[in-house]
Structure formats: structure tokens, C-alpha cells
Amino acid sequence: MNDENPPIAHRKWLDNGICVDEPLYTCPNDKGKIPGHLNMVRYYAGQLIKELPASLRGAWLYWVEAAALWHDLGKFSLEFQKYIKDKQISPHSTETVELNGGKKVDHSTAGAKHASTHWGTSKASYGDMLAYIIAGHHAGLPNGPDLFFERFHKKIPDWESYAPADLYSFTEPSPPRLWHEKSHTPDRNLGFAVAMQIRMLFSFLTDSDFLGTEHFMCQEKRDMRPSWPQNILAQMSLRLEAHLGNMESARNLTPIQRLRREIHHQCLSRAQVPQGIYQLNVPTGGGKTLSSLSFALAHAQHCHMSRVIYVIPFTSIIDQTAKTFREIMAPLDEKFGMECVLEHHSNLAADKDTERVRLMSENWDAPLIVTTSVQFFESLFSNKPSVCRKLHNITNSVIIFDEAQNLPSHLLAPCLEAMKTLEKDYGCTLVLCTATQPTLEHKKEFPIGWPAGELTSLLGNDFERRLENAMQRVTIQHLGRMDQNALIRHWNTLPDQSALFIVNTTREAQFLFDAFSSQSASHILHLSARLCPIHREKVIQTAKQKLEQGKNIILIATRVIEAGIDISFPTVYRACAGIDSIAQAAGRCNRHGEREGKGLVFVYESTDFPLPDILDDLRASASATREILAQEPEAALLSPEISNRFFRIYYNNRKNQTNLWDSKNIREMALLNPVSEKVFKSLRFKDINKSFKMIPDASHSVMITIDPEACHIRERLKILDSQGLYPNKSLRREIQRYSVQIYDREWVALQKHGMESYIDGTINILHPSPSVYDEHKGILSLQQSDPAYIGFIC
């Protein structure tokens, strides 16, 4: 945000207590002066609105200003003022204040109720929309029935007798028009769009409120916030193109490297396309990460957009992507004295989490953001002020969804609805980036998709077809049903003994690791979510080193290996799964075309470890693959035609499993009530926030004290716990580097193995023993059946 200093006219305002020695500004109708904090919030809101597409700014400004000026009306009450004077505290500090005897003074309901009634003359009271955001600006967006039919009926202190009349009496504007005529299509959900509108208004208010309070109370933080030059995206684009130019000008480029250069230049040449939604279909190993960023930076400049957001499904690859971006942009970081690339997710290493980065993470005030799918989508469906304050900075952005085939099928309908809303209502361009493009067009059997013709290939169909033929680096063979002994016998027939085995469950991975360890002299490695992140990194580094040295190596892995990890084996075995997973497995085989012939990918059906019922998504995708192979045994599994057929079958399989791709009924919680004055009163923001979870809640994070550094962290926790203090964010992220997700069924059993709990039971530490944690396999199964594997870890 470009933060210009607002004009200041100081005045003591103890009589109404909104603030002391804060600036006063003119009211919208120019009839008087308004207390400082309210207008400071109004000022910041006006600055933030400038990030919106130009077509939206005028309509939104009046609404956001009204929210800014009304959100603290309840603080004018004598009850609130008495508390402030008696305690001599900041009036910005709390949602409610507590008087003698424990009675609380509610300050947010006043403005909410005023908005609902003052702007409530129309048949559909648009003031109700403001009521949600004012009522929730500290505690979170409420459920409509709770707000309008319970909270509004409770008595609140008189504030109107003490507030300046010109503060709250300006007239109702026309409703904020968010979408254009083209948005009124049968595939849109009006209630969902209105709910998103309220969240966006909420974002402007909460971020402005935080910034306004920070301006008054913490000048040091305010001065640390970034001020980006207007041409920051242009400068970043120049850096990226220089980097790619150096790579592409090297002598003796391999055929794959020449194709990557073509993909890059084709993406760059398409930068002047209109804002919309595009598919970037690039085979694995085609360099789509930097090519998509090249397009995004150039397209953002052409369309006068504010930033680029890169959304990645797996935390196992986000560090690698963000590191690459940071290395490219390092000269700009040095030039501006602040980071151009914001990496935001909960597993972020502590050494990257500087004070400035923490401030930027609060509201995503950066030109390039790298985040997880979990962080991105759960923020869009949140009701929490601290989470929602960044939403306004998603507007007017280029958003790249890496590995788009991993959009969560159990929440696919609300996710697609959110993506449509960002594209159609908030000026975003979306890029679905993958080697196996999901079939997301609107059809009778798939009514939640985009209308025909709106999903467009960024590279063009002819170019994609040429790529498909030119980047065939593997041969795929289906082996049929096999147990582990037969699998090992098949591997023994290969001339090259280095191989990657990718299986569907951690239990199968551990058993296969043991089987190979007893029968092979090769170096055996295991990689799964049963290992803590810091140990997974060591396994990947070891595997790469052994391959580079030409030594025989066997890596037994779960799906954690499949996305974004730059590693290449001559042979890959894949337990039967979805064709998208098979394509990702193929991307770890002959990845750079380094072999004279093609790499070998074998797909097999495990008879020892069939997919358990609990993994319904994997079962649905594997079933779709089997159906295709049954119809066409020699099908070219990596062809676009087969991929399209797979996704149609897979989504149909999930349709019944997930209640029309909405397992938590999110869309029903965002329905408008068509009954006259109750139109906007039925939205359930609190329930949506609770229900929209991309990761199952039925798990516990357990830290493993396996090395001296982990033991040192444990000692630091002991000290904090004895002092009644909580660990800061940096320490919590260090803890996560040594943590493993444990499911409920194992939780009780682990209590018998030396589990310790700290910080009110929020942090759990396990002292590993050989029966619980193995240095090669991680957490061992404590029960007969253990299908545990989490593909998404925020």
C-alpha cells in the first residue's frame, strides 16, 4: 500500500472518548468534524480501495467509509467512556469492556444496528450487509439469525445522545454493484457472491481498523510497513526475464531445455490476453513454474493489476518454489530493503519469518505471494478479522493455481464458486496450471463448472499437441495385480536397479521398505508423512546425491514425492491411483530426458494393501483409472483425451460420495432468504468458517525429539511453560519442522510412550523409542490398520 501521510488536525476528544490526540477530518457531508480514530480508519480504507479495479472503486468507497465511521459508535456511550477514563486505557483495545460486577459494554452492536435500520428503507435492506461487518469487526462475522433475531433484541447502552449527529446521519447510497451483466449466468450463486462481497467489505474495514490503531499506538510498526513503487511488477518482470534469458542462452541445450524455452516465450507472448480464466497445460518437467510467472507478471502490467499470487497444494514443494522466486528477485530485495516475495504458510521456517515479513503476512501487502491452497481457500471462507483482513489484496491480482488437479473434490463446488467470484467480480485473472488439466467446463452432469468457452488454453491447442508429442519421455505399462514379492521379483529383472516406488498409504510404504531392506543390497530410502519435515528434506537430498553419483538407490515413497520435487529415476513403479497421480509419478522418471531411450513407468494393483474405505478420494480416483483400463487396456494414459475422460469419471464418482462436491453444505449456508426484509439475514458466516476445512480435524500434531536441536526446543518450551508464557510464532514454526500428524485412533496409544504436553496442552512432545519412531520410517503403526496419509498439510 502506498501510505501517504494524512493531514492532521489534533484535538483532545476525551468527552466522547474515541481517542486522545488523534486527527480530525471532515465528515462526508462536510457538516462537521469527526473523531480521530474513525477518520483514521476511513483514511486507510480510502487508500486500500485504490487497489480495487477502477470500475469498482467509486461504489465501494462510500460503503467502506460508512463502515469505518460507524464501526465504533458504541464507544460514545457513557458506560464505555467511564471505563476508559477510570482505567486510562486505549479505547481501541477491546471488543467489550468489563465494568464493576462483571457487566460488559458491547460497542460493536450499536453501529451494526444503526446500519441495519438507517439504511433499511429499501425492500432488501442493504444496511444489513454493513451490519455483519460492523458487528463482527472484533469477534468475527456472525451468523445472520444470531445477529438480527437475538443480538439486536438485547439492550445496549445509549450512544446517540453523545455522538455527533453528522457522524451517523448521512444518507443511504445505491447498493455496491459488484458484477457486470456478463456475470448473471445460470452457473452463478447469488447468495454466495453476496457473502463474498460482505467478506471483502469486512476485509477493508478490519485491515483499516488494524492499520489505524497501529498508526496511533505503534509508530515503529507503521514505519516498517512496505511502500512499493508503482512499477514494482515491471522491475520484477525484468529480473525474471533476465534470469530465464541466461538459462536459455546456454550452449548445448538439451531437447527438453529447448522445449522449456519455447513454453516460456509462448506464455510471455500471451500476456496481453483479456482478464479471465486460462488453462496452462504443460507436461511435467516443462518448466511451467517460471513460465507461468513470466506470463503473470507481464499480464498484470498490461491489465494494471496489483500483484501475483501463486497457490500451491503441497507444503512439501512450496519452500522450493518460494526459494527459487526469492533467489531471482534478490537484487530487488537489496534495492528496496524489503522482500518482494512473501511466502505465507504455517510451516514457514523461523529464519525466514522476519518482523517485516510478519507484518506483510497480516494483509498480504507484497507484489508476489506464494501460499498454500489451504491458506488461500480457508481465508476466503473465514469469518475471523485477523484472517480476512488480507482478502482485499486478493482482488485485482493474477492468481496461479499450481497442480490445479488437486483442488479438493469434497469442497470442489464452493472452491469453484469462490474462484468464479474472484474472476468475475473482483478483476482477477486465474491460471490453472498442471500437466493433467481437470475437466471443469459446465455440463449437465457437472453443473458447477465454467460456462462453455470461458476456459481457454493459454498456449493454444496446436502448441499443446506438439508439446505432448515432443515431451514423451516415458513408456507406461500396466502390470496388473501383484503382491510385494512379485513386485520385487519384477524389479530384479531390470538392468538398472535404481527405482522409485510410489504407494498409496504410509503403512504400505513401511512394509515395502522392510521387504526391500531384507532382500536388496541397494541403498534403500523411505519418504512419507510419517517422517517429520526436516527428516523428509534429508531423505530427498540423500536420494539426489546418490543418483548424481550413479549409485543404485531405491526410494519407497507416498504421494509426498509426486509434486514439484525435482528428482529423476530411470524406473518408477506406481500403485494404482488416479491418472493425475500416475502422470505426476511419470514426472519423476527420465525427468530431463537424460536417458537415451525412454524411462519406464509400471502401474500395478497391490493385492497386499488394497485402498482402505477411509480414503474415499483415492478409491474414487483409482476406480476411474481401472474403468478406463478395462475399456482400453493399451490407453495412452498421459494423453489429454484420456485425462479428460478420467476426470469426468472421477468427478462423477465423487458426486455421490461428497453430496454434489460440497460435503459440508457450504453453499446452503450462503443462501439468500427471498422473504422481503429478511433477504440478507440468513447468511451463516460463523458456521461456514467452522465447516470449511480442507484438512481433517481428526488429527494431532506431535513433535519428535529425535536430535539435539529438537531437544533444545523442548527445553525452551519447558521454561516458557513454567513461566506461564506462550511461544512466539518463530518457535512454533521450529516445532512444526519436527512434528508429525497423528490420527485420533493412534493418539490414545501414544500416551503410553512418554508423551508430554506443554502450553495448556496445545503442544505435544513424544520421546521416541524404537517401537514408536524409526529413523528411516518415521512414526510406526501402533494398530493393525493404518491408512494414515495427509496430502494437504497447512
Side-chain angles (χ1 to χ4, degrees), residues 612-632:
D613 292 340
I614 192 174
L615 300 180
D616 52 359
D617 185 40
L618 283 176
R619 287 171 64 87
S621 60
S623 175
T625 300
R626 291 190 202 98
E627 184 173 335
I628 289 173
L629 289 172
Q631 296 170 355
E632 193 176 343

Side-chain angles (χ1 to χ4, degrees), residues 75 99 193 291 469-470 505 547 650 690 747:
K75 289 183 178 179
L99 302 178
S291 292
N469 296 327
T505 67
L547 289 167
Y650 164 65
K690 183 179 179 180
W747 179 247

Side-chain angles (χ1 to χ4, degrees), residues 159-178:
W159 59 271
E160 292 185 65
S161 300
Y162 310 99
D166 55 5
L167 170 62
Y168 58 85
S169 60
F170 54 97
T171 57
E172 177 180 6
S174 59
R177 295 191 60 187
L178 294 190

Side-chain angles (χ1 to χ4, degrees), residues 6 87 93 128 138 157 167 225 260 377 498 589 699 750 793:
K87 297 296 183 182
S93 62
D128 289 347
H138 283 289
L167 170 62
R225 290 196 178 272
R260 289 172 184 161
F377 282 108
S498 287
C589 182
S699 63
L750 280 175
I793 303 176

Side-chain angles (χ1 to χ4, degrees), residues 300-363:
Q301 294 173 72
H302 175 71
C303 296
H304 307 290
M305 303 169 84
S306 302
R307 59 186 45 81
V308 174
I309 303 174
Y310 214 97
V311 182
I312 299 175
F314 303 108
T315 53
S316 58
I317 62 176
I318 191 171
D319 286 343
Q320 173 185 312
T321 301
K323 180 182 178 182
T324 300
F325 290 169
R326 279 195 300 270
E327 289 173 349
I328 295 170
M329 302 302 169
L332 294 181
D333 293 352
E334 184 176 353
K335 176 180 178 180
F336 298 121
M338 52 191 174
E339 299 87 344
C340 297
V341 180
L342 172 63
E343 180 183 357
H344 188 207
H345 58 97
S346 62
N347 279 358
L348 186 64
D351 59 354
K352 301 174 189 171
D353 196 19
T354 64
E355 179 63 25
R356 187 187 294 276
V357 167
R358 284 193 287 271
L359 291 174
M360 291 162 58
S361 297
E362 290 175 352
N363 61 357

Side-chain angles (χ1 to χ4, degrees), residues 153 270 442 731:
H153 290 181
R270 298 280 288 163
H442 182 282
L731 181 56

Side-chain angles (χ1 to χ4, degrees), residues 732-750:
R732 284 186 175 273
R733 287 179 172 173
E734 289 181 44
I735 293 167
Q736 288 172 340
R737 303 279 284 172
Y738 287 92
S739 297
V740 178
Q741 295 295 319
I742 301 298
Y743 281 75
D744 277 346
R745 62 184 175 277
E746 298 175 304
W747 179 247
V748 176
L750 280 175

